[in-house]
Amino acid sequence: MNRPRIRWHIAVFLAPAVLVYTTIMILPLFNTLRLALYSRIDQERIFVGLQNFMTLFGDPVWADQFWNALGNNVWFFVIHMLVQNPIGIALAALLSHPKLRFAALYRSAIFIPTILSFVIVGFAWKLILSPIWGIAPTMLSSVGLGFLYQPWLGKEEYALTTLSLISVWQFVGIPMMLIYAALLTIPEEILEAAEIDGITGMNAFWKIKLPLILPSIGIISILTFVGNFNAFDLIYASQGALAGPDFSTDILGTFFYRTFFGFQLQLGDPHMGAAVASAMFAIILVGVCIYLFGIQTRLRRYQL
């Protein structure tokens, strides 16, 4: 009986990537988890077990900040799921139409904001929406809609939604391109067979194309979830580390930054910061697992 030959060359080629990934990602992750189990008392690092997590979730001051940041982060994610991804799918469907002229130009124009720096985007939109020197009030007034203008970044009830929509504007090109690529992989024979059966236009998209690109939509949903719960740059660039007004735009990323590094009168605490980072990791891990389980269940039901 012939034994299967061990393909050592696969391990050899994968070893550099695994080594780099372990050094940059895996070891810092476990070191962060270890750091969260200690605390510094009288300039001495002491093992405290889960005390930092108990403080984070049980102390009124810490718990209020954490749950406020988590709630804001959930809303930030919901806006992206309900606005960014559907718009990206719709744009991909329109731009994949074979008779559309200048489709490449439209794709490039929509995708360009994704390569811009967060600092540029945050600062530019803060200037655009400024009630003093921004162009938004003038533009709305020129079309008779000046009464709709509000200092959206300066009001607690509007600031987070406004920043979420700015983020949608910047990154809608990513789901658009991924769905566009998925639509291009659909065999022409399937579309021609559907056309013979009288399924054309929007019916072809809903009944033929959409079911075939569901795995891509699932991947985009996971990427959106992970990206939004790791968000930091746009909030920091536009509202600062305090995520004003009155912490109404505070998310887990900015909360972690203030906790770990400190800001203004708040002193940095690496151990509590590591606890916040560990909580973020647990939230993302659980969320991804739930997403994968849900997607797998839906695909099985669809196949049945």
Side-chain angles (χ1 to χ4, degrees):
M1 183 176 180
N2 294 328
R3 294 183 178 180
R5 187 177 61 178
I6 300 177
R7 300 180 179 180
W8 293 105
H9 64 282
I10 297 178
V12 172
F13 285 116
L14 287 178
V18 172
L19 179 61
V20 172
Y21 186 79
T22 301
T23 304
I24 297 177
M25 298 295 294
I26 303 300
L27 292 181
L29 172 62
F30 282 101
N31 190 49
T32 299
L33 298 176
R34 180 186 63 83
L35 191 64
L37 302 178
Y38 288 82
S39 183
R40 186 170 293 277
I41 301 176
D42 296 332
Q43 302 302 318
E44 183 179 356
R45 179 177 293 182
I46 299 175
F47 179 80
V48 295
L50 300 178
Q51 182 61 44
N52 289 331
F53 295 97
M54 295 173 63
T55 301
L56 180 63
F57 300 126
D59 185 88
V61 176
W62 286 100
D64 288 346
Q65 294 185 69
F66 175 79
W67 292 115
N68 174 66
L70 179 58
N72 290 338
N73 226 143
V74 170
W75 179 244
F76 192 77
F77 163 68
V78 168
I79 292 293
H80 282 77
M81 282 295 295
L82 297 182
V83 180
Q84 174 185 277
N85 291 349
I87 291 178
I89 295 171
L91 289 173
L94 291 173
L95 296 177
S96 63
H97 196 282
K99 295 183 180 180
L100 180 65
R101 300 180 61 185
F102 308 112
L105 177 62
Y106 300 145
R107 290 197 304 271
S108 300
I110 296 172
F111 191 77
I112 282 176
T114 64
I115 64 177
L116 296 178
S117 168
F118 286 99
V119 177
I120 294 174
V121 172
F123 186 71
W125 275 100
K126 193 167 185 177
L127 291 178
I128 291 172
L129 299 177
S130 171
I132 300 176
W133 51 73
I135 62 173
T138 305
M139 292 180 63
L140 289 175
S141 298
S142 64
V143 294
L145 298 177
F147 63 94
L148 294 178
Y149 176 77
Q150 298 286 335
W152 290 299
L153 290 178
K155 287 193 172 184
E156 296 180 23
E157 60 268 29
Y158 300 137
L160 182 60
T161 302
T162 302
L163 288 172
S164 301
L165 294 176
I166 291 173
S167 180
V168 166
W169 167 83
Q170 183 179 10
F171 290 109
V172 71
I174 293 179
M176 179 199 70
M177 293 301 293
L178 292 175
I179 296 298
Y180 178 79
L183 290 172
L184 293 182
T185 61
I186 299 177
E188 288 294 333
E189 294 81 4
I190 296 178
L191 301 178
E192 292 174 358
E195 188 174 355
I196 293 174
D197 292 336
I199 303 176
T200 58
M202 290 300 297
N203 286 333
F205 177 79
W206 289 108
K207 296 181 179 180
I208 305 298
K209 295 181 180 179
L210 185 60
L212 293 176
I213 63 173
L214 282 179
S216 298
I217 295 177
I219 293 174
I220 292 171
S221 300
I222 294 174
L223 293 177
T224 302
F225 177 80
V226 175
N228 289 163
F229 276 85
N230 279 320
F232 165 77
D233 310 72
L234 180 62
I235 306 294
Y236 183 81
S238 57
Q239 302 295 87
L242 293 178
D246 195 23
F247 301 103
S248 60
T249 59
D250 193 23
I251 57 177
L252 292 175
T254 51
F255 176 52
F256 162 74
Y257 176 85
R258 293 195 310 275
T259 303
F260 194 97
F261 297 102
F263 188 77
Q264 293 183 357
L265 297 179
Q266 179 178 349
L267 298 177
D269 187 342
H271 302 286
M272 284 300 299
V276 175
S278 301
M280 292 173 62
F281 173 74
I283 291 170
I284 293 173
L285 181 62
V286 171
V288 169
C289 291
I290 293 174
Y291 257 82
L292 290 175
F293 178 77
I295 291 172
Q296 186 177 11
T297 303
R298 289 183 180 180
L299 289 177
R300 287 179 179 177
R301 289 180 180 177
Y302 178 77
Q303 291 174 355
L304 294 176

